[in-house]
Amino acid sequence: MNRIKKVPVKKIGVIERYQEFLPVSDRTPIISLNEGNTPLILSEALPSVLGLKGLKIYFKFEGLNPTGSFKDRGMTMAVSKALEEGATSVMCASTGNTSASAAAFASRCGMKCYVLIPEGKIAKGKLLQAFRYGAKVVVVKGNFDDALELVKKITATHPIQIVNSVNPYRIEGQKTAAFEICDDLGDAPDYHAIPVGNAGNITAYWRGYREYKEKGHSDTLPKMLGFQAAGAAPIVLNRVVKNPETIATAIRIGNPASWASALKARDESGGLIESVTDDEIRWAYRFLAEREGIFAEPASAAAVAGVVNLAKRNYFKKGSRIACTLTGSGLKDPEFALSFDDRIESVEPSIDAVLKVIGTVPPARTKKSSVR
Ligand SMILES: *Cc1c(COP(=O)(O)O)cnc(C)c1O
C-alpha cells in the first residue's frame, strides 16, 4: 500500500530557481512573490472533441501566478533590476495585467508605480488590482499603443524605470515558463501555442526553449504557434492596425513592440502566426471552463481557439505534444464572464421548487462505466 509521505516543499520564485539563465548577480536584490512553478495540465476533453485522441494537449496555466497572469515572471526581474540600479519608481502602459503585476512588485519593495491605461477597455479585475496595490493610475484617452508611446517618452526624460516588455529584463524573466515546461515534460513539446499581443511572450518562450537546448537541458525545439485576435492582427496582416478591436482586451494591440522578434520566433521555429475570431475565442473560453475546469481569460482562450482551427485542418502530426499557454485568470474580467445568457433563478425554499428548476438529473454511473 502506498502511504502518503510528507515532503518538504519550498516554493521559490523564478529568479532563484533559474538564476544561472538570468542576468542577475549576488548584488541583485530579489523582489519575488514566489511567482512561476505553475501547473502544466493535460487536456482531458479537447483531443476527443477534435476527434484526435492521439494528441497530447497541455495547458500551462499562468493564471495561477501571484497576480493572476504570466506578467509576474517578467516583473520580478524588471523590478529587481530596477531596484539594483537605484530606481525609486516604475511606469508602464498596460491593457491591465502588466499594471497589476508592476503595482504588486513595486509595493513589495516600497517603489512608486505609475500606470497608464487606455480608456474604457481594461478588465475590471485588473484595474482594481492596480488601485489596491497602491499604484497611481492615469487613464489615457486613446488606445494601448498611444499609452505606450507616452510611457516611452516620459521615462526617457524622467528618472522613472519603464517596465513594459521593451524593458529587456521582462523577456528574460518570462522565458522561465519554457524551462518549466521542458522540466515537466522531460523535453520541449512539438508545438507551443500562445496568444500574441505586444509579442513579448512569444519572444520570451522561443528564447527560453533555445537556451535550454543550447545548455543541454532539452533535445528538441517546438514550432511556435502565435494567435492574434482578428480585429487586432497587425502581424498577420503585415501592417499596423490603427483601431484594434477584440473582446480579448489583453491582446487588443495594433502595433506590437516585439514585432520583429515574433517573426523570428515564427520563422526560426518553422511555426506560424494566425488570427482567430472573437466567436472562436468565446467558444474556447467557455470550453476551457465548462469542459476542462480551467477558468482563463479571453486572451488566453485565443491560443486554444487557434489550436482548434489548426487541428480541424489536420495540421498536427499524429501523437504530437502541444503546449498551450493560458496567460491569465478568468477572474480578471468578471464583466465578460457575465456577458453570456446565464439565468439566475430564485425559488421558494422547497424541494419541489428546486427540482423543478434543475430539471432531469443524470442517472448514477454503474460500477463498470468509467468516469468520463
Ligand atoms: C500580456 C498578455 C497577453 C499578451 O502577451 P504579449 O507578450 O503582449 O504578446 C496575452 N494574454 C494575457 C492575459 C496578457 O496579460
Side-chain angles (χ1 to χ4, degrees):
M1 198 172 88
N2 283 328
R3 287 185 188 280
I4 293 171
K5 260 192 280 182
K6 284 231 172 86
V7 283
V9 178
K10 188 174 174 249
K11 180 108 164 66
I12 57 172
V14 298
I15 297 180
E16 274 185 280
R17 186 166 175 200
Y18 292 113
Q19 50 189 288
E20 77 251 47
F21 300 91
L22 296 169
V24 290
S25 71
D26 46 16
R27 286 186 314 280
T28 312
I30 299 177
I31 309 305
S32 171
L33 286 162
N34 295 3
E35 62 294 320
N37 195 18
T38 54
L40 189 68
I41 307 169
L42 181 63
S43 170
E44 289 288 346
L46 198 48
S48 44
V49 166
L50 295 170
L52 297 166
K53 288 207 174 149
L55 283 190
K56 290 241 180 292
I57 302 172
Y58 296 89
F59 302 117
K60 179 68 170 163
F61 190 24
E62 292 287 280
L64 293 177
N65 274 296
T67 76
S69 87
F70 74 83
K71 299 296 199 297
D72 292 341
R73 295 179 184 275
M75 209 53 76
T76 181
M77 272 300 299
V79 171
S80 297
K81 293 301 285 188
L83 193 65
E84 180 179 353
E85 289 158 16
T88 54
S89 62
V90 295
M91 182 183 262
C92 63
S94 179
T95 59
N97 281 332
T98 298
S99 56
S101 188
F105 284 88
S107 99
R108 201 161 169 79
C109 61
M111 273 198 211
K112 188 89 196 148
C113 177
Y114 307 101
V115 304
L116 269 57
I117 57 172
E119 190 175 35
K121 299 290 181 180
I122 175 168
K124 275 267 153 59
K126 304 176 186 180
L127 182 61
L128 70 86
Q129 282 181 294
F131 279 125
R132 292 284 64 78
Y133 291 129
K136 179 77 197 164
V137 178
V138 184
V139 174
V140 175
K141 295 180 181 167
N143 60 31
F144 171 83
D145 305 288
D146 301 324
L148 181 57
E149 273 315 302
L150 287 170
V151 169
K152 282 184 189 164
K153 285 179 184 149
I154 293 168
T155 55
T157 51
H158 293 77
I160 308 172
Q161 182 62 56
I162 184 171
V163 292
N164 278 103
S165 60
V166 293
N167 177 322
Y169 298 122
R170 284 274 311 278
I171 309 253
E172 285 294 308
Q174 285 171 207
K175 75 186 179 188
T176 58
F179 301 163
E180 289 177 14
I181 292 172
C182 294
D183 289 347
D184 282 352
L185 294 179
D187 201 347
D190 301 300
Y191 303 90
H192 189 105
I194 187 167
V196 175
N198 235 345
N201 216 22
I202 190 171
T203 302
Y205 271 88
W206 180 236
R207 185 183 300 173
Y209 282 123
R210 276 189 358 248
E211 286 183 10
Y212 229 41
K213 180 165 178 280
E214 273 159 26
K215 300 219 168 128
H217 294 275
S218 55
D219 296 327
T220 61
L221 290 171
K223 293 191 190 323
M224 299 301 297
L225 313 174
F227 298 98
Q228 299 197 293
I235 297 177
V236 179
L237 300 171
N238 199 26
R239 61 174 167 81
V240 171
V241 174
K242 274 265 161 355
N243 296 302
E245 268 314 330
T246 170
I247 54 166
T249 52
I251 52 172
R252 188 173 167 271
I253 287 170
N255 188 11
S258 300
W259 194 322
S261 52
L263 294 180
K264 264 183 77 177
R266 178 192 72 186
D267 298 340
E268 287 176 7
S269 73
L272 51 79
I273 297 179
E274 292 192 347
S275 63
V276 291
T277 66
D278 278 5
D279 277 345
E280 289 164 346
I281 292 172
R282 251 187 222 100
W283 183 89
Y285 169 86
R286 292 191 67 159
F287 184 89
L288 280 169
E290 294 173 21
R291 297 293 306 279
E292 302 278 6
I294 300 174
F295 193 23
E297 68 174 280
S300 311
V304 178
V307 167
V308 169
N309 286 350
L310 293 178
K312 286 181 180 161
R313 296 193 330 242
N314 279 321
Y315 173 85
F316 297 110
K317 281 205 209 74
K318 236 182 156 175
S320 296
R321 294 200 295 190
I322 307 164
C324 192
T325 303
L326 303 182
T327 44
S329 163
L331 291 169
K332 295 268 190 176
D333 197 343
E335 285 171 318
F336 182 79
L338 289 168
S339 69
F340 300 87
D341 59 350
D342 305 303
R343 260 177 301 162
I344 299 174
E345 310 214 29
S346 309
V347 298
E348 293 305 317
S350 85
I351 294 172
D352 283 348
V354 172
L355 287 179
K356 191 163 168 229
V357 170
I358 63 181
T360 315
V361 178
R365 271 184 288 116
T366 56
K367 284 246 165 55
K368 273 187 223 137
S369 65
S370 67
V371 175
R372 190 173 272 277

